[in-house]
Amino acid sequence: MLKVAIIGCGKIADAHAEQIGRLPGCRIVGVCDREPLMARQLYERFPVEACFSDVRELLENGRPDVVHITSSPESHYGLAVICLEAGCHVYIEKPFTLCELDARRLIELAASRGLQLTAGHDDQFSHVARRMRHLVQQGYLGGTPVHMESFYCYEMSQSTYATALLSDPSHWVRSLPGKLLHNIISHGIARIAEFLTTDNPSVIVHGHISPRLRSIGEEDIIDELRVIISECDQTTAYFTFSSQMRPALHQFRIYGPSNGLILDQDQETLIRLPGKKAKSYLETFVTPLSLAKQYSANVATNVRTFLKRDFQMKSGMKCLIERFYASIAENGDPPISYREIVLTARIMDAIFAQLTALKVDSVKTGDPDASPESPRANLCIAGD
Amino acid sequence: MTTASTLTPISKPFIAEPSDLILVTGAGGFIGAAVVEALLDLGFTNLRCFVRATASASKLRRRLSQHSRGVNVEIMQGNLLSPADCARASAGVSVVYHLAAGRGEKSYPDAFLNSVVTTRNLLEALVSTGFLRRFVNVSSFSVYSNRGSRDTTLDESCPMESHPELRGEAYTFAKVNQDKLVLEYANTYGVPYVLVRPGHVYGPGNLPMSGRVGIDTFGRFLHFGGPNPIPLTYLNNCADAIVLAGLHPLADNEVFNVVDDDIPTSRQFLRQYKHSVRPFKSIYVPHAIAYLFCWCWELFSDWSDRELPPVFNRRRWHAFWKKTRYSNLRLKTRLGWTQRVSTAEGLRRYFDACRAENLNA
Ligand SMILES: NC(=O)c1ccc[n+]([C@@H]2O[C@H](COP(=O)([O-])OP(=O)(O)OC[C@H]3O[C@@H](n4cnc5c(N)ncnc54)[C@H](OP(=O)(O)O)[C@@H]3O)[C@@H](O)[C@H]2O)c1
């Protein structure tokens, strides 16, 4: 029986406790939060054996094999070090760490102790994401990806978290290097990182505060981000984060030399885009019909999964945890490669560095709209 | 239509003097701002209004500008999650109206954090001041379980939800735990408290229809309430009750439910809403069918390992959609509360505001 512990009893810890509870062969020996009341509320709502407000007590009394770190991002690194040093495998929620350097250090520490790590990029293990990966691995794209587009949008008005953040000038998210973006974009960036083939892509960033946020006096939170990622003369990618565009997409498009794929996370649909077009006029009939057929097939797949009782909101997380635990048991490869974790952190570092430079620029010039049109902001920072 | 307060201050022997420092948390919120105004109307001159958001602070400042002569209204910005902010807020206060809460939070931890952890921080700060004469904890009808006999009257003697985690509502879970915490502090540290439990507080500023009427989750409005009375209380009536509970000498360590007189049934409310605001189609779901629906949902949620979250369940049906009568007898007899705004007038103002919002949408 694998003994599991959770550190950090906020919103995402609920999802972890629920998904761990769906897996056989493991039990939650303890949950921990600096705030004892928070630890207690999680303990009371889930089958958990004990609750703690001190990490060392949790590690000593619960003796977990695996620890899930679901606390706020700035604490990830320090807590992971403590857990690794105590001999535990560690699952760290996204963002893995605050910077690439910390990510590398953790990976080295884990490797030196023969322990496993994973990052909470659970969207990449949803049913539809697994179907997409399978097709790519089978060569559906016809070669190395030529171009990718990752949309990760965020509806501020729908989120009480965003309301709290916007209304609170001292909210913890504001102290992260990338602020709101830091806490959210890693899902969308990791999707791109998975299919990049080199380790030093260049990154060009444009970011601004939307007029809507400015209208409520917000001057700190960038909520519109566009990124171009490119590997010298090879794969390119666009990343879009937006709080304003509608629909608020969570979509990934990947195009190879032969065919392309569109994954829609919200609809759980995967659409194949065959590179070969129908003859002339037929394209206007045959292709839409084939798309209609594909959408119907996606509905059928979703219904089947639902009836098989495996269509929970966070079933991707269940799969990721399951694979992580399996990799621990078999001492196999972790479900997310360390290269991908580091590359995601590297791209995020580059994004935030440029946004900071942009901000410095706009403060210097006194122009709040200073944009990548200025040569400095356009500077392409290689990710090393 | 006059809305003069029915609380006539000078003649009543309150537990606080007009110049005593009174703290109102959540003062920028829907009810909090009305409580502040009611206190000012009553002649209290030394108020500390605790708000979290900058926007709430400016809104409250604008709203209170007409009251500013001769009174000391401090608008203190902070977060009750910070013990230091709680210490600042508590210094020297004799009565506390605690309205800040995570209302509208969908996640259990977020609701809990902003209702329970905040309340604990505030109480911790208050017990060390030594000035506190009363802590008014604004609770809610949602803490009651109402799972007893078939035809119930809900009053202060009804039990609290024994398993709020099974109600499928983060808000209920948080509010039950908030009440328990206050009782714990009362037992351990002798904190003098009052629990005020309003029904659905309505008025311009809180326009969404009460879930007790029905739900529009599935594209068509499902009318669950039918002949049930809806426990409405108009904003200013509720604010008066909260203020009284904080000042009345006989209120210590009591619970008061707040609900207006002449409340409409769900059917009457819905009919008036459609007539006054906008017409829309609704389907009436009889009580037995609603119960069955909640039960089936609950069973499916369990069977499917929560593919559907258990937001509909039998506990919720009992609390929300079972035919229940509501009593405000204790509020009237112990505190002498009377309804300042009639239900007819309250509904008129509410529907006017809904219509205006509908036109702007
Ligand atoms: N409305 C109803 O129908 C109803 C019914 C029964 C009971 N109640 C209870 O009445 C009270 C007031 O409700 P309401 O309708 O006025 O809700 P509201 O408008 O949402 O007000 C609640 C206030 O709490 C503040 N708050 C939340 N978390 C905080 C924190 N961590 N630190 C400081 N302040 C915080 C918010 O401040 P900011 O806006 O500044 O962020 C908000 O203004 C609540 O306790 C609620 O449970 C309401």
mmCIF file of all heavy atoms in Angstrom, chain A residues 9-11 14 18 22 35 37-38 41 45 160 167-168 305-306 309-312, chain B residues 52-53 79 104-105 107-110 112-113 117 120 165 173 300 303-307:
data_model
loop_
_atom_site.group_PDB
_atom_site.id
_atom_site.type_symbol
_atom_site.label_atom_id
_atom_site.label_comp_id
_atom_site.label_asym_id
_atom_site.label_seq_id
_atom_site.Cartn_x
_atom_site.Cartn_y
_atom_site.Cartn_z
ATOM 1 N N CYS A 9 -3.496 22.745 1.701
ATOM 2 C CA CYS A 9 -4.879 22.265 1.660
ATOM 3 C C CYS A 9 -5.836 23.281 1.052
ATOM 4 O O CYS A 9 -6.956 23.478 1.542
ATOM 5 C CB CYS A 9 -5.321 21.860 3.068
ATOM 6 S SG CYS A 9 -4.307 20.535 3.728
ATOM 7 N N GLY A 10 -5.405 23.925 -0.012
ATOM 8 C CA GLY A 10 -6.285 24.864 -0.722
ATOM 9 C C GLY A 10 -7.124 24.129 -1.755
ATOM 10 O O GLY A 10 -7.289 22.905 -1.698
ATOM 11 N N LYS A 11 -7.582 24.911 -2.735
ATOM 12 C CA LYS A 11 -8.554 24.409 -3.707
ATOM 13 C C LYS A 11 -8.080 23.177 -4.478
ATOM 14 O O LYS A 11 -8.808 22.191 -4.592
ATOM 15 C CB LYS A 11 -8.821 25.554 -4.682
ATOM 16 C CG LYS A 11 -9.942 25.363 -5.612
ATOM 17 C CD LYS A 11 -10.183 26.708 -6.280
ATOM 18 C CE LYS A 11 -11.096 26.564 -7.459
ATOM 19 N NZ LYS A 11 -11.332 27.863 -8.089
ATOM 20 N N ASP A 14 -8.166 19.564 -2.984
ATOM 21 C CA ASP A 14 -9.416 18.808 -3.063
ATOM 22 C C ASP A 14 -9.364 17.829 -4.238
ATOM 23 O O ASP A 14 -9.739 16.659 -4.108
ATOM 24 C CB ASP A 14 -10.603 19.752 -3.296
ATOM 25 C CG ASP A 14 -11.222 20.221 -1.985
ATOM 26 O OD1 ASP A 14 -10.495 20.290 -0.987
ATOM 27 O OD2 ASP A 14 -12.438 20.531 -1.983
ATOM 28 N N GLU A 18 -9.375 13.752 -4.019
ATOM 29 C CA GLU A 18 -10.436 13.012 -4.697
ATOM 30 C C GLU A 18 -9.854 11.981 -5.676
ATOM 31 O O GLU A 18 -10.289 10.831 -5.706
ATOM 32 C CB GLU A 18 -11.350 13.995 -5.437
ATOM 33 C CG GLU A 18 -12.559 13.335 -6.010
ATOM 34 C CD GLU A 18 -13.776 14.253 -6.038
ATOM 35 O OE1 GLU A 18 -13.776 15.308 -5.393
ATOM 36 O OE2 GLU A 18 -14.730 13.884 -6.722
ATOM 37 N N ARG A 22 -9.589 7.643 -5.774
ATOM 38 C CA ARG A 22 -10.136 6.774 -6.828
ATOM 39 C C ARG A 22 -9.160 5.671 -7.218
ATOM 40 O O ARG A 22 -9.504 4.796 -8.011
ATOM 41 C CB ARG A 22 -10.484 7.607 -8.060
ATOM 42 C CG ARG A 22 -11.638 8.574 -7.815
ATOM 43 C CD ARG A 22 -11.929 9.418 -9.042
ATOM 44 N NE ARG A 22 -12.286 8.599 -10.169
ATOM 45 C CZ ARG A 22 -12.040 8.917 -11.440
ATOM 46 N NH1 ARG A 22 -11.425 10.033 -11.728
ATOM 47 N NH2 ARG A 22 -12.394 8.110 -12.408
ATOM 48 N N GLU A 35 -1.866 26.471 8.096
ATOM 49 C CA GLU A 35 -3.073 26.905 8.788
ATOM 50 C C GLU A 35 -3.820 25.640 9.245
ATOM 51 O O GLU A 35 -4.418 24.931 8.420
ATOM 52 C CB GLU A 35 -3.920 27.732 7.817
ATOM 53 C CG GLU A 35 -5.319 28.072 8.295
ATOM 54 C CD GLU A 35 -5.347 28.682 9.676
ATOM 55 O OE1 GLU A 35 -4.842 29.788 9.833
ATOM 56 O OE2 GLU A 35 -5.876 28.031 10.617
ATOM 57 N N LEU A 37 -6.593 25.020 10.578
ATOM 58 C CA LEU A 37 -8.014 24.896 10.209
ATOM 59 C C LEU A 37 -8.171 24.378 8.784
ATOM 60 O O LEU A 37 -9.093 23.614 8.481
ATOM 61 C CB LEU A 37 -8.727 26.247 10.330
ATOM 62 C CG LEU A 37 -9.017 26.775 11.731
ATOM 63 C CD1 LEU A 37 -9.590 28.190 11.660
ATOM 64 C CD2 LEU A 37 -10.002 25.857 12.454
ATOM 65 N N MET A 38 -7.265 24.806 7.915
ATOM 66 C CA MET A 38 -7.358 24.352 6.518
ATOM 67 C C MET A 38 -7.029 22.861 6.421
ATOM 68 O O MET A 38 -7.667 22.119 5.670
ATOM 69 C CB MET A 38 -6.419 25.166 5.618
ATOM 70 C CG MET A 38 -6.835 26.605 5.422
ATOM 71 S SD MET A 38 -8.534 26.780 4.824
ATOM 72 C CE MET A 38 -8.382 26.236 3.140
ATOM 73 N N GLN A 41 -10.115 20.950 7.667
ATOM 74 C CA GLN A 41 -11.298 20.859 6.797
ATOM 75 C C GLN A 41 -11.102 19.809 5.696
ATOM 76 O O GLN A 41 -12.026 19.120 5.312
ATOM 77 C CB GLN A 41 -11.727 22.228 6.250
ATOM 78 C CG GLN A 41 -10.711 23.002 5.400
ATOM 79 C CD GLN A 41 -10.639 22.561 3.952
ATOM 80 O OE1 GLN A 41 -11.625 22.097 3.410
ATOM 81 N NE2 GLN A 41 -9.467 22.687 3.329
ATOM 82 N N ARG A 45 -13.297 16.103 5.245
ATOM 83 C CA ARG A 45 -14.130 15.844 4.066
ATOM 84 C C ARG A 45 -13.677 14.651 3.230
ATOM 85 O O ARG A 45 -14.377 14.234 2.326
ATOM 86 C CB ARG A 45 -14.203 17.097 3.187
ATOM 87 C CG ARG A 45 -15.037 18.204 3.796
ATOM 88 C CD ARG A 45 -15.175 19.417 2.902
ATOM 89 N NE ARG A 45 -13.905 20.043 2.617
ATOM 90 C CZ ARG A 45 -13.369 20.108 1.411
ATOM 91 N NH1 ARG A 45 -13.994 19.606 0.376
ATOM 92 N NH2 ARG A 45 -12.205 20.699 1.243
ATOM 93 N N THR A 160 -13.834 33.257 -8.690
ATOM 94 C CA THR A 160 -13.790 33.983 -7.420
ATOM 95 C C THR A 160 -12.339 34.233 -7.020
ATOM 96 O O THR A 160 -12.028 35.186 -6.334
ATOM 97 C CB THR A 160 -14.491 33.188 -6.299
ATOM 98 O OG1 THR A 160 -14.020 31.850 -6.337
ATOM 99 C CG2 THR A 160 -15.979 33.218 -6.460
ATOM 100 N N SER A 167 -9.145 42.276 -6.138
ATOM 101 C CA SER A 167 -9.590 43.179 -5.078
ATOM 102 C C SER A 167 -8.550 43.328 -3.970
ATOM 103 O O SER A 167 -8.686 44.187 -3.124
ATOM 104 C CB SER A 167 -10.908 42.670 -4.493
ATOM 105 O OG SER A 167 -10.702 41.430 -3.869
ATOM 106 N N ASP A 168 -7.528 42.503 -3.991
ATOM 107 C CA ASP A 168 -6.597 42.510 -2.872
ATOM 108 C C ASP A 168 -5.198 42.933 -3.331
ATOM 109 O O ASP A 168 -4.489 42.168 -3.986
ATOM 110 C CB ASP A 168 -6.548 41.087 -2.276
ATOM 111 C CG ASP A 168 -5.718 41.038 -1.010
ATOM 112 O OD1 ASP A 168 -5.100 42.059 -0.665
ATOM 113 O OD2 ASP A 168 -5.685 39.970 -0.373
ATOM 114 N N THR A 305 -17.036 7.033 -22.504
ATOM 115 C CA THR A 305 -16.153 7.227 -21.330
ATOM 116 C C THR A 305 -16.988 7.583 -20.106
ATOM 117 O O THR A 305 -16.718 7.134 -18.994
ATOM 118 C CB THR A 305 -15.144 8.361 -21.611
ATOM 119 O OG1 THR A 305 -14.711 8.255 -22.947
ATOM 120 C CG2 THR A 305 -13.963 8.301 -20.674
ATOM 121 N N PHE A 306 -18.017 8.401 -20.332
ATOM 122 C CA PHE A 306 -18.905 8.806 -19.234
ATOM 123 C C PHE A 306 -19.588 7.574 -18.644
ATOM 124 O O PHE A 306 -19.636 7.396 -17.421
ATOM 125 C CB PHE A 306 -19.941 9.792 -19.782
ATOM 126 C CG PHE A 306 -20.841 10.392 -18.736
ATOM 127 C CD1 PHE A 306 -20.409 11.447 -17.943
ATOM 128 C CD2 PHE A 306 -22.124 9.905 -18.529
ATOM 129 C CE1 PHE A 306 -21.233 12.001 -16.979
ATOM 130 C CE2 PHE A 306 -22.958 10.457 -17.562
ATOM 131 C CZ PHE A 306 -22.511 11.509 -16.787
ATOM 132 N N ARG A 309 -17.715 5.513 -16.364
ATOM 133 C CA ARG A 309 -17.441 6.199 -15.106
ATOM 134 C C ARG A 309 -16.002 6.697 -15.009
ATOM 135 O O ARG A 309 -15.375 6.622 -13.951
ATOM 136 C CB ARG A 309 -17.747 5.288 -13.905
ATOM 137 C CG ARG A 309 -19.204 4.903 -13.827
ATOM 138 C CD ARG A 309 -19.495 4.164 -12.576
ATOM 139 N NE ARG A 309 -19.218 2.761 -12.685
ATOM 140 C CZ ARG A 309 -19.255 1.920 -11.672
ATOM 141 N NH1 ARG A 309 -19.524 2.368 -10.468
ATOM 142 N NH2 ARG A 309 -19.016 0.654 -11.842
ATOM 143 N N ASP A 310 -15.496 7.177 -16.142
ATOM 144 C CA ASP A 310 -14.130 7.691 -16.100
ATOM 145 C C ASP A 310 -14.055 9.066 -16.755
ATOM 146 O O ASP A 310 -13.098 9.391 -17.445
ATOM 147 C CB ASP A 310 -13.195 6.704 -16.826
ATOM 148 C CG ASP A 310 -11.728 6.993 -16.503
ATOM 149 O OD1 ASP A 310 -11.482 7.668 -15.476
ATOM 150 O OD2 ASP A 310 -10.861 6.572 -17.274
ATOM 151 N N PHE A 311 -15.096 9.873 -16.561
ATOM 152 C CA PHE A 311 -15.135 11.161 -17.241
ATOM 153 C C PHE A 311 -15.244 12.293 -16.219
ATOM 154 O O PHE A 311 -15.931 13.284 -16.432
ATOM 155 C CB PHE A 311 -16.327 11.166 -18.200
ATOM 156 C CG PHE A 311 -16.108 12.035 -19.414
ATOM 157 C CD1 PHE A 311 -14.983 11.904 -20.202
ATOM 158 C CD2 PHE A 311 -17.046 12.991 -19.782
ATOM 159 C CE1 PHE A 311 -14.791 12.693 -21.324
ATOM 160 C CE2 PHE A 311 -16.857 13.780 -20.912
ATOM 161 C CZ PHE A 311 -15.741 13.629 -21.674
ATOM 162 N N GLN A 312 -14.575 12.140 -15.096
ATOM 163 C CA GLN A 312 -14.606 13.170 -14.064
ATOM 164 C C GLN A 312 -13.870 14.416 -14.562
ATOM 165 O O GLN A 312 -13.027 14.314 -15.463
ATOM 166 C CB GLN A 312 -13.935 12.679 -12.773
ATOM 167 C CG GLN A 312 -14.718 11.656 -12.001
ATOM 168 C CD GLN A 312 -14.670 10.282 -12.616
ATOM 169 O OE1 GLN A 312 -13.932 10.043 -13.571
ATOM 170 N NE2 GLN A 312 -15.449 9.350 -12.084
ATOM 171 N N ARG B 52 -12.047 44.884 2.167
ATOM 172 C CA ARG B 52 -10.868 44.236 1.572
ATOM 173 C C ARG B 52 -10.454 44.942 0.278
ATOM 174 O O ARG B 52 -9.329 45.332 0.098
ATOM 175 C CB ARG B 52 -11.176 42.763 1.308
ATOM 176 C CG ARG B 52 -10.019 42.006 0.709
ATOM 177 C CD ARG B 52 -10.339 40.539 0.549
ATOM 178 N NE ARG B 52 -11.550 40.322 -0.223
ATOM 179 C CZ ARG B 52 -11.995 39.115 -0.565
ATOM 180 N NH1 ARG B 52 -11.344 38.045 -0.172
ATOM 181 N NH2 ARG B 52 -13.105 38.985 -1.265
ATOM 182 N N ALA B 53 -11.419 45.125 -0.603
ATOM 183 C CA ALA B 53 -11.068 45.614 -1.939
ATOM 184 C C ALA B 53 -11.022 47.126 -2.000
ATOM 185 O O ALA B 53 -11.817 47.809 -1.345
ATOM 186 C CB ALA B 53 -12.101 45.102 -2.934
ATOM 187 N N ASN B 79 -7.170 42.591 5.001
ATOM 188 C CA ASN B 79 -7.668 41.249 4.727
ATOM 189 C C ASN B 79 -7.735 40.502 6.048
ATOM 190 O O ASN B 79 -6.738 40.447 6.782
ATOM 191 C CB ASN B 79 -6.709 40.547 3.755
ATOM 192 C CG ASN B 79 -7.325 39.292 3.186
ATOM 193 O OD1 ASN B 79 -8.099 38.599 3.863
ATOM 194 N ND2 ASN B 79 -6.990 38.990 1.948
ATOM 195 N N GLY B 104 -20.532 33.196 -2.353
ATOM 196 C CA GLY B 104 -20.380 33.000 -3.799
ATOM 197 C C GLY B 104 -19.191 32.128 -4.159
ATOM 198 O O GLY B 104 -18.974 31.815 -5.318
ATOM 199 N N GLU B 105 -18.395 31.736 -3.169
ATOM 200 C CA GLU B 105 -17.269 30.846 -3.469
ATOM 201 C C GLU B 105 -17.816 29.460 -3.785
ATOM 202 O O GLU B 105 -18.632 28.934 -3.050
ATOM 203 C CB GLU B 105 -16.342 30.714 -2.253
ATOM 204 C CG GLU B 105 -15.796 32.015 -1.714
ATOM 205 C CD GLU B 105 -14.581 32.496 -2.461
ATOM 206 O OE1 GLU B 105 -14.275 31.910 -3.526
ATOM 207 O OE2 GLU B 105 -13.954 33.457 -2.008
ATOM 208 N N SER B 107 -15.680 26.784 -4.326
ATOM 209 C CA SER B 107 -14.815 25.717 -3.806
ATOM 210 C C SER B 107 -14.846 25.716 -2.279
ATOM 211 O O SER B 107 -14.892 26.775 -1.642
ATOM 212 C CB SER B 107 -13.383 25.882 -4.330
ATOM 213 O OG SER B 107 -12.560 26.475 -3.364
ATOM 214 N N TYR B 108 -14.820 24.524 -1.724
ATOM 215 C CA TYR B 108 -14.882 24.390 -0.259
ATOM 216 C C TYR B 108 -13.723 25.116 0.431
ATOM 217 O O TYR B 108 -13.946 25.871 1.363
ATOM 218 C CB TYR B 108 -14.900 22.908 0.127
ATOM 219 C CG TYR B 108 -16.256 22.270 -0.011
ATOM 220 C CD1 TYR B 108 -16.759 21.934 -1.266
ATOM 221 C CD2 TYR B 108 -17.048 22.013 1.088
ATOM 222 C CE1 TYR B 108 -18.012 21.359 -1.406
ATOM 223 C CE2 TYR B 108 -18.306 21.435 0.961
ATOM 224 C CZ TYR B 108 -18.782 21.115 -0.287
ATOM 225 O OH TYR B 108 -20.024 20.557 -0.425
ATOM 226 N N PRO B 109 -12.481 24.889 -0.009
ATOM 227 C CA PRO B 109 -11.383 25.548 0.689
ATOM 228 C C PRO B 109 -11.473 27.075 0.625
ATOM 229 O O PRO B 109 -11.213 27.754 1.620
ATOM 230 C CB PRO B 109 -10.134 25.057 -0.040
ATOM 231 C CG PRO B 109 -10.543 23.785 -0.674
ATOM 232 C CD PRO B 109 -11.986 23.950 -1.027
ATOM 233 N N ASP B 110 -11.867 27.632 -0.527
ATOM 234 C CA ASP B 110 -11.945 29.090 -0.632
ATOM 235 C C ASP B 110 -13.041 29.639 0.272
ATOM 236 O O ASP B 110 -12.857 30.651 0.948
ATOM 237 C CB ASP B 110 -12.221 29.507 -2.081
ATOM 238 C CG ASP B 110 -10.985 29.353 -2.951
ATOM 239 O OD1 ASP B 110 -9.902 29.096 -2.395
ATOM 240 O OD2 ASP B 110 -11.108 29.451 -4.186
ATOM 241 N N PHE B 112 -14.239 28.253 2.919
ATOM 242 C CA PHE B 112 -13.816 28.020 4.301
ATOM 243 C C PHE B 112 -12.793 29.077 4.737
ATOM 244 O O PHE B 112 -12.894 29.647 5.820
ATOM 245 C CB PHE B 112 -13.209 26.611 4.376
ATOM 246 C CG PHE B 112 -12.947 26.128 5.762
ATOM 247 C CD1 PHE B 112 -13.913 25.415 6.456
ATOM 248 C CD2 PHE B 112 -11.735 26.362 6.382
ATOM 249 C CE1 PHE B 112 -13.673 24.949 7.742
ATOM 250 C CE2 PHE B 112 -11.482 25.905 7.665
ATOM 251 C CZ PHE B 112 -12.461 25.193 8.348
ATOM 252 N N LEU B 113 -11.843 29.317 3.850
ATOM 253 C CA LEU B 113 -10.782 30.278 4.153
ATOM 254 C C LEU B 113 -11.364 31.652 4.477
ATOM 255 O O LEU B 113 -11.020 32.264 5.483
ATOM 256 C CB LEU B 113 -9.860 30.366 2.930
ATOM 257 C CG LEU B 113 -8.489 30.985 3.104
ATOM 258 C CD1 LEU B 113 -7.631 30.128 4.005
ATOM 259 C CD2 LEU B 113 -7.802 31.131 1.741
ATOM 260 N N VAL B 117 -11.497 30.786 8.568
ATOM 261 C CA VAL B 117 -10.159 31.226 8.990
ATOM 262 C C VAL B 117 -10.197 32.718 9.327
ATOM 263 O O VAL B 117 -9.624 33.163 10.336
ATOM 264 C CB VAL B 117 -9.098 30.908 7.903
ATOM 265 C CG1 VAL B 117 -7.738 31.429 8.312
ATOM 266 C CG2 VAL B 117 -9.038 29.402 7.657
ATOM 267 N N ARG B 120 -11.811 33.106 12.745
ATOM 268 C CA ARG B 120 -10.880 32.706 13.811
ATOM 269 C C ARG B 120 -9.852 33.818 14.065
ATOM 270 O O ARG B 120 -9.595 34.204 15.209
ATOM 271 C CB ARG B 120 -10.199 31.396 13.402
ATOM 272 C CG ARG B 120 -9.450 30.650 14.501
ATOM 273 C CD ARG B 120 -8.035 31.143 14.767
ATOM 274 N NE ARG B 120 -7.324 31.516 13.570
ATOM 275 C CZ ARG B 120 -6.625 30.680 12.810
ATOM 276 N NH1 ARG B 120 -6.543 29.425 13.132
ATOM 277 N NH2 ARG B 120 -6.011 31.127 11.720
ATOM 278 N N GLU B 165 -20.737 18.877 4.897
ATOM 279 C CA GLU B 165 -19.889 18.492 3.757
ATOM 280 C C GLU B 165 -20.674 17.665 2.746
ATOM 281 O O GLU B 165 -20.251 17.499 1.604
ATOM 282 C CB GLU B 165 -18.632 17.741 4.235
ATOM 283 C CG GLU B 165 -18.832 16.335 4.767
ATOM 284 C CD GLU B 165 -19.376 16.271 6.199
ATOM 285 O OE1 GLU B 165 -19.733 17.326 6.750
ATOM 286 O OE2 GLU B 165 -19.461 15.160 6.745
ATOM 287 N N PHE B 173 -21.128 24.577 4.089
ATOM 288 C CA PHE B 173 -20.042 23.968 4.862
ATOM 289 C C PHE B 173 -19.291 25.056 5.644
ATOM 290 O O PHE B 173 -19.026 24.910 6.847
ATOM 291 C CB PHE B 173 -19.095 23.235 3.904
ATOM 292 C CG PHE B 173 -17.914 22.608 4.573
ATOM 293 C CD1 PHE B 173 -18.066 21.468 5.342
ATOM 294 C CD2 PHE B 173 -16.653 23.156 4.448
ATOM 295 C CE1 PHE B 173 -16.975 20.875 5.972
ATOM 296 C CE2 PHE B 173 -15.552 22.574 5.070
ATOM 297 C CZ PHE B 173 -15.721 21.429 5.829
ATOM 298 N N PHE B 300 -26.474 8.798 -8.618
ATOM 299 C CA PHE B 300 -25.619 8.741 -9.794
ATOM 300 C C PHE B 300 -24.237 9.307 -9.473
ATOM 301 O O PHE B 300 -23.208 8.763 -9.897
ATOM 302 C CB PHE B 300 -26.238 9.511 -10.967
ATOM 303 C CG PHE B 300 -25.394 9.395 -12.206
ATOM 304 C CD1 PHE B 300 -25.493 8.268 -13.014
ATOM 305 C CD2 PHE B 300 -24.458 10.361 -12.538
ATOM 306 C CE1 PHE B 300 -24.674 8.120 -14.130
ATOM 307 C CE2 PHE B 300 -23.641 10.230 -13.643
ATOM 308 C CZ PHE B 300 -23.753 9.103 -14.450
ATOM 309 N N TRP B 303 -22.420 6.625 -7.613
ATOM 310 C CA TRP B 303 -22.124 5.479 -8.468
ATOM 311 C C TRP B 303 -21.011 5.806 -9.466
ATOM 312 O O TRP B 303 -20.144 4.988 -9.754
ATOM 313 C CB TRP B 303 -23.405 5.061 -9.203
ATOM 314 C CG TRP B 303 -23.197 3.984 -10.220
ATOM 315 C CD1 TRP B 303 -23.095 2.648 -9.984
ATOM 316 C CD2 TRP B 303 -23.054 4.158 -11.642
ATOM 317 N NE1 TRP B 303 -22.898 1.977 -11.170
ATOM 318 C CE2 TRP B 303 -22.875 2.879 -12.201
ATOM 319 C CE3 TRP B 303 -23.072 5.278 -12.483
ATOM 320 C CZ2 TRP B 303 -22.702 2.675 -13.574
ATOM 321 C CZ3 TRP B 303 -22.909 5.077 -13.842
ATOM 322 C CH2 TRP B 303 -22.719 3.776 -14.376
ATOM 323 N N SER B 304 -21.047 7.043 -9.981
ATOM 324 C CA SER B 304 -20.110 7.392 -11.058
ATOM 325 C C SER B 304 -18.818 7.991 -10.523
ATOM 326 O O SER B 304 -18.060 8.566 -11.298
ATOM 327 C CB SER B 304 -20.766 8.388 -12.005
ATOM 328 O OG SER B 304 -20.943 9.623 -11.342
ATOM 329 N N ASP B 305 -18.603 7.873 -9.220
ATOM 330 C CA ASP B 305 -17.374 8.447 -8.676
ATOM 331 C C ASP B 305 -17.306 9.946 -8.952
ATOM 332 O O ASP B 305 -16.270 10.466 -9.353
ATOM 333 C CB ASP B 305 -16.162 7.776 -9.324
ATOM 334 C CG ASP B 305 -15.352 7.014 -8.309
ATOM 335 O OD1 ASP B 305 -15.622 7.170 -7.120
ATOM 336 O OD2 ASP B 305 -14.445 6.266 -8.727
ATOM 337 N N ARG B 306 -18.427 10.610 -8.806
ATOM 338 C CA ARG B 306 -18.504 12.073 -8.925
ATOM 339 C C ARG B 306 -18.279 12.610 -10.327
ATOM 340 O O ARG B 306 -17.702 13.688 -10.489
ATOM 341 C CB ARG B 306 -17.503 12.755 -7.994
ATOM 342 C CG ARG B 306 -17.517 12.256 -6.604
ATOM 343 C CD ARG B 306 -18.092 13.269 -5.715
ATOM 344 N NE ARG B 306 -18.643 12.622 -4.563
ATOM 345 C CZ ARG B 306 -18.751 13.181 -3.375
ATOM 346 N NH1 ARG B 306 -18.388 14.405 -3.212
ATOM 347 N NH2 ARG B 306 -19.285 12.535 -2.381
ATOM 348 N N GLU B 307 -18.710 11.850 -11.330
ATOM 349 C CA GLU B 307 -18.677 12.458 -12.658
ATOM 350 C C GLU B 307 -19.553 13.705 -12.635
ATOM 351 O O GLU B 307 -19.236 14.717 -13.231
ATOM 352 C CB GLU B 307 -19.180 11.475 -13.712
ATOM 353 C CG GLU B 307 -18.084 10.582 -14.235
ATOM 354 C CD GLU B 307 -18.573 9.615 -15.294
ATOM 355 O OE1 GLU B 307 -19.747 9.199 -15.258
ATOM 356 O OE2 GLU B 307 -17.763 9.260 -16.151
#
